[in-house]
Amino acid sequence: MSASLAPGLYIVAGPIGNLSDLSPRAAQVLRDADLVAVEDTRMSAKLLRHAGSEAPMLPYHDHSDERVRTRLIERMAGEAVALLSDAGTPLISDPGYKLVRDAQAAGRYVTTVPGPCAAIAAITLSGLPSDRFLFMGFLPAKAKARADTLAEVVALRASLVFYESGPRCADSLAAMADLLGDRPAALCREISKLHETVLTGSLSELSVACTQKEPKGEIVIVVGPPGEAPPAGADEIEAALVEALTRLSASQAASEVARTLGADRKALYARAMELKGK
Ligand code: SAM
């Protein structure tokens, strides 16, 4: 049993490419843990060596045999179990959600050692609004499912963050341009590694660039929020007012059109009275 860690589950964020990004606390937890649950033992062996950890590893996936999860949760009663992903923060497009859920339900101590995450790194690098964003994970590969997913967020006033792979980039960007509108976007590649690059442009420009040269390595696409709708024209306002007058009083029609189209209520009321008089 670990001399320095309380029994329980330790969610440990690892680097997303640059080993030096492993935090000192994360390295300490990996050294002191009784057991490290990992996605891939070969991938994690390198990081454990770097951290100076000799803790035994156990492969874990949320779709693993339920008995593996149950056994891990039993062990957390008396041992410190660390959860580590191949890259970045566990649970973020990586295994761990069910383990955390069931450990909490069993009353185990659960804590996190936060650190690198490609989605967060990309939003900071993108030059796009970072006040509101939605993490979308990987888009479905099939065109229909991809279109359905994009349709769910088309009107959302937030930046969107997608994980992507090089071969799918051109198609995904073209679908986004088509279904979300040709918004500004950033393709963030190989973050924290030697060949880190950020390519910015409209979705259609980035799609063309990826068609001409398939991007290599690991990729996050960030898409800016939809632009403001263009102000309504005089004809549109007049038509809305005429329609509203078929249902409402002049005062109510003016208020409704002012609210929905952002026009001046006083002018609308005057026009509504004129139309009524005709
Ligand atoms: N758990 C990880 C995290 O915290 O970001 C993500 C794991 S997910 C299986 C792997 C995806 O994350 C990659 O396909 C890529 O989209 C993104 N990714 C991971 N490392 C990256 C990096 N260094 N640069 C750009 N994208 C990266």
Side-chain angles (χ1 to χ4, degrees):
M1 189 185 135
S2 172
S4 55
L5 295 178
L9 176 63
Y10 295 74
I11 304 158
V12 178
I16 54 167
N18 189 324
L19 283 179
S20 306
D21 291 340
L22 182 74
S23 75
R25 187 157 83 93
Q28 189 69 51
V29 168
L30 293 176
R31 280 193 295 275
D32 293 347
D34 296 299
L35 174 70
V36 185
V38 299
E39 278 188 88
D40 181 296
T41 49
R42 266 190 315 180
M43 292 285 286
S44 290
K46 196 169 150 206
L47 187 66
L48 291 191
R49 247 193 329 272
H50 173 79
S53 169
E54 291 176 358
M57 288 182 278
L58 185 88
Y60 174 77
H61 292 267
D62 279 338
H63 53 78
S64 299
D65 185 337
E66 190 124 342
R67 281 172 297 186
V68 176
R69 187 159 57 249
T70 306
R71 178 77 193 110
L72 275 171
I73 289 167
E74 279 167 11
R75 290 188 66 171
M76 285 170 206
E79 294 178 287
V81 177
L83 173 68
L84 188 66
S85 286
D86 288 353
T89 301
L91 283 85
I92 306 300
S93 288
D94 268 339
Y97 154 66
K98 290 182 180 171
L99 190 64
V100 171
R101 180 195 65 188
D102 293 359
Q104 281 171 343
R108 300 288 180 258
Y109 171 66
V110 178
T111 189
T112 186
V113 183
C117 172
I120 299 295
I123 195 97
T124 64
L125 267 177
S126 67
L128 292 163
S130 55
D131 54 333
R132 290 182 90 203
F133 59 88
L134 178 66
F135 174 59
M136 298 288 294
F138 289 95
L139 272 177
K142 296 215 168 97
K144 165 81 170 71
R146 184 171 61 196
D148 290 347
T149 302
L150 291 172
E152 284 172 19
V153 294
V154 64
L156 199 72
R157 308 205 69 78
S159 293
L160 304 172
V161 182
F162 299 89
Y163 283 167
E164 206 28 289
S165 72
R168 289 183 6 166
C169 258
D171 277 359
S172 292
L173 287 160
M176 289 177 199
D178 194 26
L179 295 156
L180 300 176
D182 202 10
R183 303 184 192 177
L187 190 150
C188 307
R189 198 179 70 86
E190 296 286 89
I191 300 167
S192 78
K193 303 187 206 175
L194 186 61
H195 298 293
E196 174 179 298
T197 45
V198 180
L199 202 60
T200 57
S202 70
L203 282 166
S204 60
E205 285 165 350
L206 293 182
S207 168
V208 170
C210 292
T211 307
Q212 286 164 350
K213 187 166 185 266
E214 183 184 300
K216 298 271 178 279
E218 300 200 275
I219 291 156
V220 182
I221 296 170
V222 184
V223 181
E228 295 297 327
D235 289 351
E236 190 184 347
I237 292 172
E238 176 83 1
L241 189 60
V242 169
E243 188 282 320
L245 282 170
T246 63
R247 301 178 278 113
L248 303 168
S249 70
S251 169
Q252 289 166 329
S255 296
E256 182 184 278
V257 177
R259 195 177 59 248
T260 53
L261 296 182
D264 177 56
R265 191 195 168 279
K266 217 165 144 195
L268 284 167
Y269 180 68
R271 178 66 184 141
M273 292 305 285
E274 233 176 80
L275 287 167
K276 278 210 142 181
K278 275 188 185 166

